[in-house]
Amino acid sequence: MALRYLRARRQEGFISVIATFSFLGIGLGVATLIIVMSVMNGFRAELLDRILGLNGHYEIRAPADEPLLNYGDVVARLSAVTDVVRVTPLVEGQVMASGKQASGALVRGISPNQMASLTVLSSNIVDGSLKNFGDNSSIILGYRLARTLGVEAGDKVKLISSEGTATAFGTMPRVKTFTVDALFDTGMYEYDSGYIYMSLKAAQQYFRLGEGITALDVFATDPDQALAMRREIINAVNIRAFIYDWQQSRASFFNALEVERNVMFLILTLIILVAAFNIISSLIMLVKDKGRDVAILRTMGATRGMIMRVFFIAGASIGVVGTILGVLLGLGFCANIDKIKSAIEGITGAELFSAEIYFLSHLPAKVDPSEVLTVVLMALIISLLATIYPSWRAARLDPVEALRYE
């Protein structure tokens, strides 16, 4: 009977139209929520993997840009901390890189063994190889930076450091020419367009640090567990130094992501609420239109509970079917999001996901089953609550009043 009421006759077509819009509103609201939350999850996961794939969960730096000397004992103590996977000594410095063109870049010196552990780099070499990485004249750089400089693997690049050599004629910039052995593509714009890697010894010589380094990167088994290890890390360092965890070093970035994610969830929930109000309006109109039928059913012995269940099922079916449609649409969109993005870009000719703005070169989506379940339950609860008042109104209808003028 509830389904018959939803299939309105020709003179009741307006009610059917409102019910259809309610159904589509619930479906699109659920699908949009799933898609947006999945993209936000994928965006955060991809950034976290790449940022923490190149940077440690903890970073130890000497104060006032002084080099860390005799750091072997610190490395040994940090390596002994539970859940610490590895400790990487680094030399970092800003340079001006010059090929056919010039661009600023960050040089990072790292040992060849540690380079092999950075799978984000070592497994994403797009040109050249790492076999000569230990040489003092060998460097690797991001493919976007290579494109800016106008070089490729095998070409020469001149690095100019502002920390020059004092002479009788003033401070002369430190200049040295290196061979580009490989280009990497991490998929993250910041690294691919501004990072240069060389061996640790080559960086120490170039920046004239002797046996010193500028930082230690500490890698743990899990980013979330790493935050709970802070006290152990501080005790293990046991020297005068600055210690940053991955959340502190990128605090504003990840906080902005979390705030944006929560705000988007609240805003998109309004779509489902609007659809729920459509359900209420369509059911109220249906109750008013079916007043005579309800009165006849009551006189034939139908209880108020039966009448209430009829209209409750009619409204709930819109919410349930709409939610199912939204889940299927949302999951299907997430599974093919890159293909859909490429198709839209091909039709419109516009770039929808610029790497310069969003840091990543592709659009990620990571479906969280618990979030999908939350969205489904929320949509069902809102839809079911929207049916209570119209169903109650139908059940309270007085048969005498409904049939008085019939």
Side-chain angles (χ1 to χ4, degrees), residues 10 35 38 41 52 54 56 163 201 239 306 315 343 360 383-384 395:
R10 181 176 300 175
I35 293 167
S38 299
N41 288 338
L52 299 184
L54 292 177
E163 299 177 2
K201 288 190 176 182
I239 61 171
M306 292 179 182
L360 298 177
S383 301
L384 296 179

Side-chain angles (χ1 to χ4, degrees), residues 144-398:
R144 291 180 184 272
L145 178 59
R147 186 187 303 168
T148 301
L149 300 177
V151 299
E152 56 188 22
D155 291 345
K156 303 289 185 180
V157 169
K158 188 182 295 183
L159 300 186
I160 306 169
S161 173
S162 60
E163 299 177 2
T165 305
T167 67
F169 300 99
T171 302
M172 301 296 293
R174 191 176 305 141
V175 182
K176 187 174 180 180
T177 301
F178 293 85
T179 301
V180 178
D181 275 353
L183 307 180
F184 58 82
D185 177 11
T186 64
M188 190 164 179
Y189 181 81
E190 179 183 351
Y191 300 137
D192 295 338
S193 64
Y195 274 51
I196 297 175
Y197 281 83
M198 63 176 65
S199 69
L200 184 64
K201 288 190 176 182
Q204 288 172 331
Q205 291 178 7
Y206 179 74
F207 291 108
R208 299 186 178 178
L209 296 176
E211 294 298 320
I213 59 172
T214 58
L216 287 170
D217 272 358
V218 181
F219 292 84
T221 53
D222 182 77
D224 296 322
Q225 289 180 356
L227 299 176
M229 297 162 49
R230 186 172 183 82
R231 178 54 55 187
E232 297 177 62
I233 296 295
I234 292 174
N235 292 336
V237 172
N238 199 28
I239 61 171
R240 185 167 167 264
F242 293 112
I243 302 174
Y244 308 95
D245 61 47
W246 63 270
Q247 277 194 342
Q248 288 174 322
S249 58
R250 300 270 179 168
S252 59
F253 184 74
F254 285 107
N255 287 340
L257 277 181
E258 191 64 26
V259 170
E260 184 178 359
R261 182 174 174 272
N262 294 333
V263 171
M264 290 297 293
F265 183 86
L266 292 175
I267 292 174
L268 294 174
T269 302
L270 295 177
I271 299 176
I272 299 178
L273 288 175
V274 170
F277 280 110
N278 285 336
I279 293 177
I280 295 174
S281 61
S282 63
L283 283 181
I284 289 177
M285 293 180 65
L286 184 63
V287 169
K288 191 169 183 61
D289 187 75
K290 298 294 183 182
R292 184 181 62 178
D293 297 355
V294 170
I296 293 172
L297 288 172
R298 289 296 309 282
T299 58
M300 293 175 64
T303 65
R304 288 181 174 178
M306 292 179 182
I307 300 300
M308 189 171 182
R309 283 196 295 272
V310 168
F311 287 95
F312 184 83
I313 292 172
S317 61
I318 297 174
V320 171
V321 178
T323 301
I324 294 173
L325 172 69
V327 171
L328 295 177
L329 184 62
L331 295 179
F333 194 98
C334 291
N336 301 280
I337 193 164
D338 274 323
K339 294 179 181 177
I340 295 172
K341 179 180 81 75
S342 300
I344 295 174
E345 288 179 343
I347 294 172
T348 61
E351 188 176 9
L352 299 180
F353 194 77
S354 174
E356 290 84 350
I357 299 174
Y358 297 102
F359 300 102
L360 298 177
S361 57
H362 70 286
L363 187 60
K366 181 182 178 182
V367 178
D368 186 347
S370 62
E371 287 186 347
V372 173
L373 181 61
T374 300
V375 172
V376 169
L377 291 176
M378 182 185 67
L380 290 177
I381 291 171
I382 292 175
S383 301
L384 296 179
L385 289 177
T387 63
I388 292 177
Y389 177 71
S391 302
W392 178 80
R393 283 281 304 272
R396 299 291 298 177
L397 192 65
D398 187 357

